[in-house]
Amino acid sequence: MRQRAEWQRVHAQALRMRIGEVDALDHRAFEFAVRDLMRRGGCTAEQVGGAGDDACDVRATDPAGRIWVIQCKHRRDGDRGAAVGVGVLQQVNGTARQVHGADIAVVLTDGRFSSKAIPWGREHRIHLVDRRVLGEWAAGSRPLWDLLDRIPPPHRPTALS
């Protein structure tokens, strides 16, 4: 059991995905990939998406104790598909903190966001992860919080702070 847990930890740390590989996933596999990428950064993370998920596909706790609520929007056509709009952000804004206890609310897509969604997200403290940021995160080794602005401070002192 202990050996398997160690293997899973090493495997998660080595996880790298090209954006084309992300595009090829179905929506459920996309959610599990996001969960695994959060784990790669040292988070405890679970995939919770599905019917009745209250706009949370992945819930994670980072090494600093912050709770992340991530709504995933997979676009089969990548950035050529429909843009993620304000409506999705409004759903997340209504549940991330109140229902899921989020310190950090994220909407993540392998596509793009509408021109109205970008300022709306900034105004309501919802982090938007588009195709470019997702590609950098998935192919690299840095945790997601290193790629985002305005992340709240840690709950507890860590080696990260």
Side-chain angles (χ1 to χ4, degrees):
M1 189 67 126
R2 183 182 212 156
Q3 187 175 20
R4 180 177 179 186
E6 179 64 15
W7 180 87
Q8 288 175 330
R9 186 187 65 75
V10 170
H11 176 73
Q13 288 177 333
L15 177 64
R16 306 283 185 281
M17 296 180 75
R18 295 183 323 274
I19 197 68
E21 294 173 301
V22 172
D23 289 340
L25 300 172
D26 65 31
H27 76 280
R28 181 72 66 215
F30 181 64
E31 293 171 4
F32 281 105
V34 169
R35 177 206 63 190
D36 292 346
L37 288 167
M38 291 300 287
R39 287 178 177 175
R40 179 186 76 187
C43 296
T44 57
E46 62 181 325
Q47 183 276 342
V48 294
D53 65 14
D54 286 322
C56 176
D57 293 318
V58 176
R59 188 174 190 278
T61 303
D62 69 23
R66 297 171 294 208
I67 297 172
W68 293 66
V69 169
I70 305 171
Q71 177 67 20
C72 301
K73 291 297 175 186
H74 186 265
R75 298 296 190 238
R76 185 175 40 220
D77 297 325
D79 58 0
R80 293 180 312 279
V84 177
V86 172
V88 171
L89 278 64
Q90 289 171 332
Q91 291 174 337
V92 170
N93 193 49
T95 61
R97 293 170 188 91
Q98 299 87 333
V99 174
H100 301 289
D103 297 302
I104 302 165
V106 177
V107 177
L108 181 146
T109 183
D110 65 330
R112 59 192 170 85
F113 291 94
S114 72
S115 60
K116 291 182 179 178
I118 296 167
W120 201 96
R122 190 175 300 118
E123 180 181 339
H124 293 88
R125 298 181 305 124
I126 298 173
H127 295 273
L128 306 184
V129 175
D130 63 8
R131 182 177 187 81
R132 183 193 61 76
V133 175
L134 174 60
E136 182 179 350
W137 179 43
S141 59
R142 296 168 60 195
L144 184 56
W145 50 89
D146 279 357
L147 303 174
L148 301 176
D149 295 328
R150 302 175 298 121
I151 298 295
H155 289 303
R156 58 182 179 253
T158 68
L160 301 174
S161 33

